[in-house]
Amino acid sequence: MFMFSMQTTGLVGLAVAENPHERLRILYTKILGVLQNIPKDAAYRKYTEQIVNQRFNLVQTETDVQKLQDKLNSGHIEEVIVQAENELSLARKMMQWKPWEPLVEEPPSDQWRWPI
Amino acid sequence: TVRPKNEVEQKQLSAFGEYVAEILPKYIQQVQVTCFNELELLIHPDGIIPVLTFLRDHTNAQFKSLADLTAVDVPSRQFRFEIVYNLLSLRFNSRIRVKTYTDELTPVDSAVSVHKAANWYEREVWDMYGVFFANHPDLRRILTDYGFEGHPFRKDFPLSGYVEV
């Protein structure tokens, strides 16, 4: 028989995260560190910093996991952790792709005309 | 009867379209919202993987599900094939369409590295239209017969085919 509290997330493949605040704190600091390498006027940096700082403040002020989930309004805390990991990998890839530069190539003038 | 216009949804979709266009100006050529409240991003072909990864991973745009991957043949254009990706966000319950273009000979980056579901869809587009996908793990025919020659969904392929059965 299990002696410790047997919780589940209710989602297949997502284990319950012990110490989610710590994990989220680490992930958000890493994201903010990666974002420093992007030029300051890039829209991606602006908006992502806004999102990350908002979530970071909520994580730091709210210690109860249940209330934190309600405030973030983004599903289970484990899902929030997965989303933060995705955002971190996206930020690293954005550093290489540099999507804030101007348009690569204009399309031919009739390309997007509909009806033809 | 006429479908009632949903102004709120149209405004939300166009706001989101402007948001994405502001973040990725390098690849997005045009953004439009159809009258049926469907958001479409028109992309340069170099930007397929960056845009799809952004839409999948970004917190404000978790389009984790690739609903469809098709192509449209418009022979009068210089780039005759238009590749269409339909994405669905489960977190925000919204859909988005990403469109790119290519001609018969230029390869297009495969979306398999971003969405595993694109595997068979890209095989189908290769088989039916002849659009080659670079870095696809296994690009071979999927619907046509084993020795079949030609790409059936192209507009210049006749309805009854070239071979008598």
Side-chain angles (χ1 to χ4, degrees):
Chain A
M1 288 303 294
F2 292 103
M3 289 302 163
F4 49 87
S5 64
M6 195 174 96
Q7 328 163 35
T8 52
T9 50
L11 301 163
V12 176
L14 261 191
V16 176
E18 72 284 330
N19 209 351
H21 292 83
E22 183 64 28
R23 182 98 183 101
L24 279 173
R25 192 182 58 81
I26 299 173
L27 281 169
Y28 287 144
T29 12
K30 275 191 188 173
I31 296 177
L32 289 170
V34 170
L35 285 177
Q36 298 301 324
N37 297 334
I38 298 182
K40 213 157 184 4
D41 57 352
Y44 177 67
R45 173 170 173 168
K46 211 170 46 177
Y47 291 120
T48 320
E49 274 183 346
Q50 199 180 358
I51 301 170
V52 168
N53 283 327
Q54 198 182 2
R55 292 196 166 191
F56 204 173
N57 289 333
L58 277 174
V59 165
Q60 282 172 325
T61 49
E62 184 65 61
T63 40
D64 179 35
V65 174
Q66 209 29 56
K67 287 213 193 88
L68 181 57
Q69 273 174 204
D70 294 331
K71 275 194 185 170
L72 283 173
N73 196 18
S74 183
H76 286 271
I77 202 79
E78 289 79 15
E79 288 179 327
V80 174
I81 294 176
V82 167
Q83 183 52 44
E85 286 164 0
N86 286 345
E87 190 73 56
L88 179 59
S89 88
L90 178 67
R92 287 185 178 138
K93 289 176 191 167
M94 286 299 211
M95 268 207 309
Q96 294 169 346
W97 291 326
K98 302 194 192 358
W100 48 85
E101 291 165 3
L103 191 59
V104 158
E105 198 186 335
E106 285 287 337
S109 53
D110 64 341
Q111 182 63 40
W112 297 125
R113 184 171 28 168
W114 191 261
I116 314 172
Chain B
T1 51
V2 180
R3 178 198 282 228
K5 256 185 145 1
N6 192 346
E7 287 291 347
V8 174
E9 197 182 349
Q10 197 154 19
K11 280 207 181 57
Q12 284 173 337
L13 285 175
S14 42
F16 181 70
E18 284 168 13
Y19 173 76
V20 182
E22 198 187 335
I23 294 190
L24 300 164
K26 190 172 176 185
Y27 303 114
I28 298 186
Q29 290 160 351
Q30 216 176 305
V31 176
Q32 52 199 36
V33 180
T34 48
C35 60
F36 313 108
N37 295 340
E38 294 169 358
L39 179 58
E40 299 185 355
L41 296 177
L42 310 179
I43 304 279
H44 185 273
D46 287 345
I48 293 180
I49 297 191
V51 171
L52 288 179
T53 341
F54 171 79
L55 289 173
R56 187 191 59 164
D57 286 341
H58 189 67
T59 325
N60 275 353
Q62 299 169 30
F63 289 95
K64 303 264 186 236
S65 175
L66 178 73
D68 198 11
L69 207 184
T70 23
V72 184
D73 181 20
V74 186
S76 57
R77 292 180 184 163
Q78 182 198 349
F79 293 101
R80 71 188 284 195
F81 299 116
E82 204 181 277
I83 319 281
V84 181
Y85 301 81
N86 285 312
L87 301 164
L88 165 66
S89 166
L90 301 158
R91 171 72 54 208
F92 300 115
N93 188 18
S94 89
R95 294 178 184 265
I96 198 173
R97 195 174 302 139
V98 177
K99 290 198 191 184
T100 339
Y101 52 81
T102 183
D103 54 14
E104 289 137 327
L105 300 173
T106 323
V108 157
D109 279 325
S110 174
V112 171
S113 52
V114 182
H115 288 105
K116 288 274 176 296
N119 200 322
W120 277 19
Y121 285 127
E122 288 182 348
R123 276 177 65 185
E124 186 198 352
V125 170
W126 157 250
D127 196 13
M128 296 290 125
Y129 290 93
V131 178
F132 187 77
F133 289 93
N135 306 323
H136 185 102
D138 186 20
L139 194 65
R140 52 194 161 97
R141 63 173 74 253
I142 190 170
L143 291 171
T144 50
D145 196 9
Y146 290 106
F148 194 88
E149 283 160 9
H151 296 284
F153 282 4
R154 291 189 178 182
K155 292 282 195 268
D156 45 353
F157 192 92
L159 182 61
S160 46
Y162 291 121
V163 177
E164 190 187 313
V165 168

